[in-house]
Amino acid sequence: MSYLSQGDPDLYAILGREIHREESTLELIASENFTSQAVMEMAGGVMTNKYAEGYPGKRYYGGCDFVDEAEDLARDRLKELFGAEYVNVQPHSGSQANMAALMTFVNPGDTVMGLDLAHGGHLTHGSPVNFSGQLYNFVSYQVSQNTGRVDFDSVYKIAKEVKPKLIICGGSAYPRFIEFEQFREVADSVGAFLMADIAHPSGLVATGLHPSPMKYCDVITSTTHKTLRGPRGGIIMMGKDFENPWGKIAPKSGRVKNVSELLDSMVMPGIQGGPLMHIIAAKAVAFGEALMPEFKSYTQEIINNAQAMADGFLKLDYKLVSGGTDTHVILIDLSNKNITGKLAENTLGKAGITVNKNMVPFDKRSPFVTSGIRVGTPAITTRGMGHVEIQKIVHWIDEAISNLNNEDVLKRIKSNVNNLCLNFPIYSH
Ligand code: DSN
């Protein structure tokens, strides 16, 4: 019996359509994944009922014994997963995590450097339409046109010129390992703090398949739902806590000794109220899963699949930003294929393949049109797809892009996609 089908048939039908979409199409959005049923059970469970402003042992509400246990477990598992001395598991999202970290380390008006959005950065790394670009004086650095990788000569030059208080490394569409060590050298050369946003590769970092930022960065933020395969949410970590260097005052608690206390108080009460305890508990479930040996094999397979996919595209004369990938992300520059990112996204959608249009470095088109698409392998790898399926998928993507206006071809690909998906069920129950 489904309570939803009885109580709200409209939403039950909508949910059914979404389940069908997820089951019957190929999810290649690099930031999406399919959580385990255990994670979903916790995320859909009774802890959604509980108010628990504060932190374990120091709440503003009674009745927090069991949510305290869940949050403590989430924090302990996360520390173990990344080798972090400090963690905060309360941010509702990656953007909230970034907001709390920025508000702790810099003041409004301060200069901060971040990767240009069109070069693989993120909205919260200084986009003028985001709080980050509005509150702080962001100066963007870019990738080199030749290599598609961060242009460190230029990063040094900009840093010397603008003397940032903080530099953010990482982003949303950077297919290569984030160069934490090199960024540390730049940050040290100008006395800046270094923040890593590992929202995309965090699952790969957790399993040692991507370098770790812990010893290089002052603060690290991430989401929990991409390669880490947890519920939607954010986290903040520090490899090592350190003394509050500015004598900053924390909201509510006043003067505090360590940066960890500032970060905690900036998350709550600084920018958030009641934590989402059902999500925090579901994060704990996901961190437990990520500590299992099977998770390392899974993340290795994500990378194998992405590299096989990149090779397949290169053979078909697709231009890949940076020439390939070290991770789960491939950024395809479609300018030699005579199709915009927007049209490619729509066309592939008709063929049952979900991707997102994406700006490419030095893109002349707007973010609503773009010259590229971003594809990623975390979700199809969770389904168990491997090398054989990757070859088919690359072929179908190319066939669809080459037959934009041929509805029959698109329909045939959709039916092939559907048949393939039937062999890789996500939620068999
Ligand atoms: N929207 C996320 C992504 O797709 O990478 C970043 O916030």
Side-chain angles (χ1 to χ4, degrees):
M1 212 251 319
S2 153
Y3 296 102
L4 192 61
S5 67
Q6 306 290 310
D8 196 331
D10 290 343
L11 271 156
Y12 182 73
I14 291 171
L15 179 62
R17 291 199 287 279
E18 175 60 12
I19 293 171
H20 178 71
R21 186 195 70 79
E22 292 187 17
E23 288 281 357
S24 62
T25 58
L26 284 169
E27 184 54 74
L28 294 181
I29 292 180
S31 47
E32 294 189 16
N33 210 330
F34 303 115
T35 72
S36 69
Q37 280 164 307
V39 167
M40 274 201 236
E41 190 175 346
M42 198 41 121
V46 296
M47 286 193 183
T48 192
N49 299 328
K50 190 71 198 95
Y51 250 123
E53 276 163 299
Y55 290 94
K58 291 178 283 184
R59 305 281 191 188
Y60 292 88
Y61 291 82
C64 288
D65 309 55
F66 306 117
V67 293
D68 276 7
E69 285 179 22
E71 185 164 348
D72 274 336
L73 209 46
R75 298 202 290 196
D76 291 346
R77 288 178 179 177
L78 185 59
K79 283 180 185 169
E80 186 181 345
L81 201 50
F82 288 93
E85 185 174 291
Y86 160 84
V87 299
N88 187 309
V89 295
Q90 292 198 0
H92 301 329
S93 68
S95 295
Q96 297 295 96
N98 286 351
M99 187 178 213
L102 283 169
M103 288 177 72
T104 299
F105 279 80
V106 290
N107 295 313
D110 279 349
T111 298
V112 182
M113 285 172 63
L115 180 59
D116 191 321
L117 186 58
H119 289 238
H122 187 254
L123 271 178
T124 54
H125 301 183
S127 164
V129 296
N130 181 260
F131 82 88
S132 54
Q134 290 168 17
L135 288 183
Y136 306 105
N137 173 36
F138 259 89
V139 180
S140 297
Y141 57 87
Q142 300 191 329
V143 300
S144 131
Q145 195 146 19
N146 294 334
T147 63
R149 296 174 190 240
V150 171
D151 180 347
F152 277 96
D153 288 342
S154 145
V155 175
Y156 265 106
K157 201 162 157 258
I158 298 171
K160 286 256 170 310
E161 254 169 53
V162 306
K163 302 256 179 317
K165 285 258 177 69
L166 179 139
I167 300 174
I168 306 181
C169 57
S172 277
Y174 192 63
R176 296 299 179 174
F177 287 156
I178 306 167
E179 306 85 344
F180 305 118
E181 196 174 348
Q182 275 173 279
F183 275 108
R184 180 77 259 170
E185 284 166 17
V186 181
D188 284 346
S189 75
V190 292
F193 291 107
L194 182 60
M195 167 173 158
D197 180 342
I198 59 166
H200 265 267
S202 53
L204 315 180
V205 173
T207 50
L209 298 175
H210 182 295
S212 167
M214 288 298 149
K215 70 174 182 198
Y216 299 111
C217 300
D218 299 291
V219 62
I220 297 112
T221 59
S222 181
T223 53
T224 45
H225 49 271
K226 298 184 174 93
T227 48
L228 204 45
R229 206 165 59 179
R232 306 192 73 76
I235 48 177
I236 305 176
M237 303 182 276
M238 285 196 292
K240 270 225 156 312
D241 193 7
F242 57 103
E243 226 169 90
N244 173 6
W246 321 272
K248 261 194 183 180
I249 306 293
K252 207 93 177 159
S253 49
R255 200 167 292 281
V256 295
K257 190 163 175 288
N258 287 328
V259 176
S260 57
E261 296 165 78
L262 279 175
L263 281 166
D264 277 351
S265 66
M266 199 49 83
V267 172
M268 204 304 293
I271 63 167
Q272 290 187 175
L276 308 176
M277 292 316 305
H278 55 310
I279 298 299
I280 289 169
K283 287 174 183 171
V285 176
F287 301 153
E289 291 173 354
L291 283 165
M292 300 291 174
E294 303 84 271
F295 191 74
K296 179 156 188 176
S297 321
Y298 161 64
T299 48
Q300 182 62 65
E301 204 47 36
I302 293 179
I303 297 176
N304 294 348
N305 279 345
Q307 292 182 338
M309 193 176 267
D311 288 346
F313 283 125
L314 288 171
K315 283 191 189 113
L316 294 170
D317 192 33
Y318 283 82
K319 271 173 59 184
L320 307 185
V321 173
S322 85
T325 182
D326 298 326
T327 64
H328 60 297
V329 179
I330 302 165
L331 188 56
I332 307 178
D333 179 345
L334 293 165
S335 41
N336 64 335
K337 296 286 177 183
N338 209 20
I339 177 173
T340 64
K342 182 179 176 184
L343 190 52
E345 179 188 301
N346 289 341
T347 303
L348 290 169
K350 288 185 197 164
I353 301 172
T354 313
V355 303
N356 64 281
K357 59 180 173 291
N358 215 98
M359 306 262 290
V360 294
F362 310 99
D363 208 324
K364 294 194 175 55
R365 295 195 168 97
S366 84
F368 298 106
V369 180
T370 81
S371 300
I373 51 172
R374 184 186 64 165
V375 297
T377 51
I380 55 167
T381 307
T382 292
R383 296 185 84 148
M385 294 185 186
H387 197 79
V388 172
E389 292 73 36
I390 294 292
Q391 307 310 313
K392 291 182 183 167
I393 294 168
V394 170
H395 169 73
W396 289 332
I397 290 176
D398 181 53
E399 203 182 8
I401 283 177
S402 316
N403 288 277
L404 288 180
N405 301 315
N406 191 331
E407 295 295 325
D408 290 341
V409 171
L410 299 180
K411 264 194 206 136
R412 174 174 48 74
I413 299 172
K414 187 172 186 177
S415 148
N416 288 336
V417 163
N418 210 268
N419 289 335
L420 179 71
C421 289
L422 283 176
N423 293 329
F424 294 89
I426 313 168
Y427 300 115
S428 32
H429 308 296

